Amino acid sequence: MNKVILIGNVGADPEIRRTQDGRPIANLRIATSETWRDRNSGERREKTEWHTVVVFNEGLCKVVEQYVKKGAKLYIEGQLQTRKWQDQQGQDRYSTEVVLQGFGSTLTMLDGRGEGGGASGGRGSGAGGNDYGDDYGAPAPASSPSRGGGSGGNFSRDLDDDIPF
Amino acid sequence: MNKVILIGNVGADPEIRRTQDGRPIANLRIATSETWRDRNSGERREKTEWHTVVVFNEGLCKVVEQYVKKGAKLYIEGQLQTRKWQDQQGQDRYSTEVVLQGFGSTLTMLDGRGEGGGASGGRGSGAGGNDYGDDYGAPAPASSPSRGGGSGGNFSRDLDDDIPF
Amino acid sequence: MNKVILIGNVGADPEIRRTQDGRPIANLRIATSETWRDRNSGERREKTEWHTVVVFNEGLCKVVEQYVKKGAKLYIEGQLQTRKWQDQQGQDRYSTEVVLQGFGSTLTMLDGRGEGGGASGGRGSGAGGNDYGDDYGAPAPASSPSRGGGSGGNFSRDLDDDIPF
Amino acid sequence: MNKVILIGNVGADPEIRRTQDGRPIANLRIATSETWRDRNSGERREKTEWHTVVVFNEGLCKVVEQYVKKGAKLYIEGQLQTRKWQDQQGQDRYSTEVVLQGFGSTLTMLDGRGEGGGASGGRGSGAGGNDYGDDYGAPAPASSPSRGGGSGGNFSRDLDDDIPF
DNA sequence: TTTT
DNA sequence: TTTT
């Protein structure tokens, strides 16, 4: 288990790079902030934390490319990853990033910008990174009749096979 | 581990009850929705799920009482809990709720309503349920010098003892 | 956002049903427990919460079918869903379940049972529900050179298209 | 929202430091690993990610001090934090850590080591970081009668005031 | 560098 | 440097 969940604002328009074979990679800077009140002075104080988010997931990259701009509020779910690199002096350096890459990765816009724009849903919404023109059938139709009810329904979803998360 | 995370909208103004000893308990109905596009018709479809949220945590109840209204967008973190009760025929019935009660429970307003009203932070923001006039010192000042740096700072926080989450 | 995370033990061997078109659906009962010490008596006390988990995701169903037995310790990530049904008196009844169905759903064995059996990983491990004989290339190879380093790598993953989570 | 959830193994015995005023700070290295099967060769492959975890929370530090050893399997919930420091050349360097500091921070042992040792619970278990000799009353006793039942119970918990998470 |  |  290696999961990061962020809700925050994008500090600058995303950078989109492409690999040699044309695959997009998006880089985002996300700010999360917390506020508290000083115990002594009673003043409100704030601390902002900045996160680097790297989106390898192609579908999510498309969402980023089309909809995410500086200032957008995002819900992000990814993994922590530290990569090693060498600086100009040849010294080892490490950078830790929140990586969105397939399994368990999500990006949802929370401020209603973007196409159609809803945001309260986890799975969906127009700009939510989960809606690439696919249909994943009727949502969760039913469950075990043995536990008391349920029609049985049609269970037409095929999430394993054809949904590109 | 028993954790529920919801981001959704409040369906009606919260009900606040009080126990005999005056402790508040808030009940909320929260809608989360997901949208998707029908594979055949290409139409956008939506499914909404409704959740019952019960807030036992006193600080969070105050936030609910003061700031949460019908339509508010909330971030909720709590636990799943099923309680048994008898209906009028004396039959056992079960209700499953998302309970906010201390440890790991959170409620944050995401739409900037309420006092001061920020929302992007996890720990804080005016109406965020984490800001009861307390000060929890300077945020996380530093870390192990042995891993390369850090001033050591003053580590003045006393989160274990005096912060009422 | 509608997410449930559970770590707990399976109360009985899973039930696997099949839909008319042959799709499997697994039902699990999971216990999460918490302990605490009584403030007055100093005694240790415990409370167990039982959850019904319904696995629609076909790949995860296979994992359940092959590896999950009574007593297994599982990590579960799914969505809360309440369905309505009628009891024998024709009254409306509601059951709330944790549904594993595609996006953001996970099931990982935490006790090293099952094929090869690892458990500490988030994405994988032999019986972890994320390992259906696929290769998703080299893991997250690199990131934006503009932020200081990184070879660029080969970015050979194709998680959007061919990984059946 | 700034949350990190890790389940992994401790790479070395924790380091415990103390601030000038005697407050403990624990440093942990945690490995999370994922495995997958190579698409071409069919070989099992593995990637391990290492995380630095800094525990400021005093109660959790005690748990670490007493129970956490090299090899322990832990559940960690904390926040991402990047701190800036200067290396010996005076250059700015950054380190990103998972910080456990009050609100929403958790550490639970998952391998049944430690006093009493359970692990499946989220809130508790003997060595689970949530059990400092406190009583938080009867667990979540009830909910809104208006939604169909529940005795009302005694609501004796006082989580806001006296539980030192 | 964001947002409230 | 862990674990499976």
Side-chain angles (χ1 to χ4, degrees):
Chain A
M1 176 75 179
N2 171 359
K3 182 178 289 289
V4 179
I5 303 174
L6 304 174
I7 298 176
N9 296 289
V10 178
D13 286 347
E15 296 173 36
I16 316 275
R17 297 173 294 130
R18 282 185 186 274
T19 61
Q20 292 187 326
D21 57 333
R23 200 172 288 279
I25 295 163
N27 278 271
L28 298 165
R29 291 284 286 169
I30 306 271
T32 55
S33 40
E34 54 177 294
T35 63
W36 70 98
R37 195 172 290 281
D38 186 88
R39 191 187 293 151
N40 301 121
S41 70
E43 288 169 25
R44 179 171 301 283
R45 302 191 56 187
E46 178 168 17
K47 178 167 183 288
T48 294
E49 191 69 36
W50 285 96
H51 311 271
T52 297
V53 175
V54 185
V55 185
F56 288 98
N57 180 290
E58 197 157 357
L60 296 180
C61 271
K62 285 180 198 162
V63 172
V64 170
E65 201 160 19
Q66 289 181 59
Y67 302 116
V68 176
K69 302 294 175 207
K70 176 177 174 175
K73 176 169 290 183
L74 296 183
Y75 175 88
I76 292 280
E77 199 167 326
Q79 287 188 289
L80 255 193
Q81 214 161 91
T82 299
R83 77 195 152 76
K84 187 180 180 178
W85 50 283
Q86 273 80 36
D87 66 15
Q88 294 175 322
Q89 287 76 41
Q91 277 193 297
D92 287 344
R93 301 280 292 271
Y94 298 86
S95 293
T96 301
E97 296 155 339
V98 178
V99 171
L100 275 65
Q101 189 168 215
F103 183 72
S105 295
T106 319
L107 183 156
T108 304
M109 299 190 71
L110 291 177
D111 46 9
R113 300 180 193 168
E115 174 246 349
S120 74
R123 178 99 52 82
S125 83
N130 322 103
D131 198 348
Y132 314 116
D134 299 291
D135 172 23
Y136 33 98
S143 180
S144 171
S146 70
R147 276 171 303 94
S151 67
N154 66 337
F155 306 112
S156 62
R157 287 219 206 181
D158 200 344
L159 287 162
D160 312 323
D161 302 322
D162 44 27
I163 303 305
F165 338 108
Chain B
M1 175 75 176
N2 170 0
K3 183 179 286 291
V4 179
I5 303 173
L6 303 175
I7 297 175
N9 296 290
V10 178
D13 286 347
E15 295 173 36
I16 317 276
R17 296 174 295 131
R18 279 182 189 276
T19 62
Q20 292 186 323
D21 58 331
R23 202 173 285 280
I25 297 164
N27 278 269
L28 299 165
R29 292 282 289 170
I30 306 270
T32 55
S33 40
E34 52 176 297
T35 63
W36 71 97
R37 195 172 290 282
D38 186 88
R39 192 186 292 152
N40 301 120
S41 69
E43 288 169 24
R44 178 172 301 284
R45 301 191 57 187
E46 178 169 17
K47 178 168 182 288
T48 295
E49 191 69 36
W50 285 95
H51 311 270
T52 297
V53 174
V54 185
V55 185
F56 288 98
N57 180 290
E58 197 158 356
L60 297 179
C61 273
K62 286 180 199 162
V63 173
V64 169
E65 201 160 18
Q66 289 181 58
Y67 303 116
V68 175
K69 303 294 174 206
K70 178 177 173 176
K73 176 169 288 185
L74 296 183
Y75 175 87
I76 292 279
E77 198 168 326
Q79 286 189 289
L80 254 193
Q81 213 161 89
T82 299
R83 77 197 151 77
K84 187 180 180 178
W85 50 283
Q86 274 79 36
D87 66 14
Q88 294 174 321
Q89 287 76 43
Q91 278 193 298
D92 286 346
R93 301 280 292 272
Y94 298 87
S95 293
T96 301
E97 296 156 339
V98 177
V99 172
L100 276 66
Q101 190 168 211
F103 183 73
S105 295
T106 319
L107 183 156
T108 305
M109 300 192 70
L110 292 176
D111 46 9
R113 299 177 195 172
E115 175 246 346
S120 74
R123 176 103 48 86
S125 81
N130 321 105
D131 198 349
Y132 315 117
D134 298 291
D135 173 22
Y136 32 98
S143 179
S144 170
S146 69
R147 276 174 300 93
S151 67
N154 65 339
F155 306 113
S156 62
R157 286 217 205 183
D158 199 344
L159 286 162
D160 313 323
D161 303 322
D162 45 26
I163 303 304
F165 329 115
Chain C
M1 175 75 177
N2 170 0
K3 183 178 287 289
V4 179
I5 303 174
L6 304 175
I7 297 175
N9 296 289
V10 177
D13 286 347
E15 296 173 36
I16 316 276
R17 297 174 294 130
R18 278 183 190 277
T19 61
Q20 293 186 325
D21 59 331
R23 201 172 285 278
I25 297 164
N27 278 270
L28 298 165
R29 290 284 288 170
I30 307 270
T32 55
S33 39
E34 53 176 296
T35 63
W36 69 99
R37 197 172 290 280
D38 186 88
R39 192 186 294 153
N40 301 120
S41 70
E43 289 169 25
R44 179 173 300 285
R45 301 190 60 188
E46 178 168 17
K47 179 168 182 285
T48 295
E49 191 69 36
W50 286 95
H51 311 271
T52 297
V53 174
V54 185
V55 185
F56 288 99
N57 180 290
E58 197 158 357
L60 297 180
C61 272
K62 286 179 198 162
V63 173
V64 170
E65 200 160 20
Q66 289 181 59
Y67 302 117
V68 176
K69 303 295 175 204
K70 177 178 174 175
K73 176 169 288 183
L74 296 183
Y75 175 87
I76 293 278
E77 199 169 325
Q79 287 188 290
L80 255 193
Q81 214 161 89
T82 298
R83 78 197 151 75
K84 186 181 181 179
W85 51 282
Q86 274 80 36
D87 66 14
Q88 294 175 321
Q89 287 76 42
Q91 278 193 297
D92 287 346
R93 302 280 291 272
Y94 298 86
S95 293
T96 301
E97 296 156 339
V98 177
V99 171
L100 275 67
Q101 190 170 212
F103 183 73
S105 296
T106 319
L107 183 155
T108 305
M109 299 192 70
L110 291 178
D111 45 11
R113 298 177 197 170
E115 174 247 347
S120 73
R123 177 101 50 86
S125 82
N130 321 104
D131 198 347
Y132 314 117
D134 297 292
D135 172 22
Y136 33 99
S143 179
S144 169
S146 68
R147 275 171 301 95
S151 67
N154 66 338
F155 305 112
S156 62
R157 287 218 203 183
D158 199 345
L159 286 162
D160 311 323
D161 303 322
D162 45 24
I163 303 305
F165 330 113
Chain D
M1 175 74 177
N2 170 1
K3 183 179 286 290
V4 179
I5 302 174
L6 304 175
I7 296 175
N9 296 288
V10 178
D13 287 346
E15 295 173 37
I16 317 275
R17 296 174 294 129
R18 280 184 188 276
T19 61
Q20 292 186 324
D21 57 333
R23 202 171 286 279
I25 297 164
N27 278 271
L28 299 165
R29 291 282 288 169
I30 306 271
T32 55
S33 40
E34 53 176 293
T35 63
W36 70 98
R37 196 172 290 282
D38 187 88
R39 192 187 291 152
N40 300 120
S41 69
E43 288 168 25
R44 179 171 301 285
R45 302 191 56 188
E46 177 168 16
K47 177 167 184 287
T48 294
E49 191 70 35
W50 285 95
H51 310 271
T52 296
V53 174
V54 185
V55 185
F56 289 99
N57 180 290
E58 198 158 356
L60 297 179
C61 272
K62 286 179 198 162
V63 173
V64 170
E65 202 161 18
Q66 289 181 60
Y67 302 117
V68 175
K69 303 293 175 207
K70 176 177 174 175
K73 176 169 289 185
L74 297 182
Y75 175 88
I76 293 279
E77 199 168 324
Q79 287 189 289
L80 256 192
Q81 214 161 88
T82 299
R83 77 196 151 75
K84 186 179 181 178
W85 49 283
Q86 273 81 35
D87 65 14
Q88 295 175 321
Q89 286 76 43
Q91 277 193 299
D92 286 345
R93 301 281 290 271
Y94 298 87
S95 293
T96 301
E97 296 155 338
V98 177
V99 171
L100 274 66
Q101 188 170 214
F103 184 72
S105 295
T106 320
L107 182 155
T108 305
M109 300 192 69
L110 291 177
D111 45 10
R113 298 176 196 171
E115 173 247 347
S120 73
R123 176 103 46 87
S125 83
N130 320 103
D131 197 349
Y132 314 118
D134 299 291
D135 172 22
Y136 32 100
S143 180
S144 171
S146 69
R147 275 173 301 94
S151 67
N154 67 338
F155 307 114
S156 63
R157 288 216 205 184
D158 200 343
L159 287 162
D160 312 324
D161 303 321
D162 45 26
I163 304 304
F165 330 115

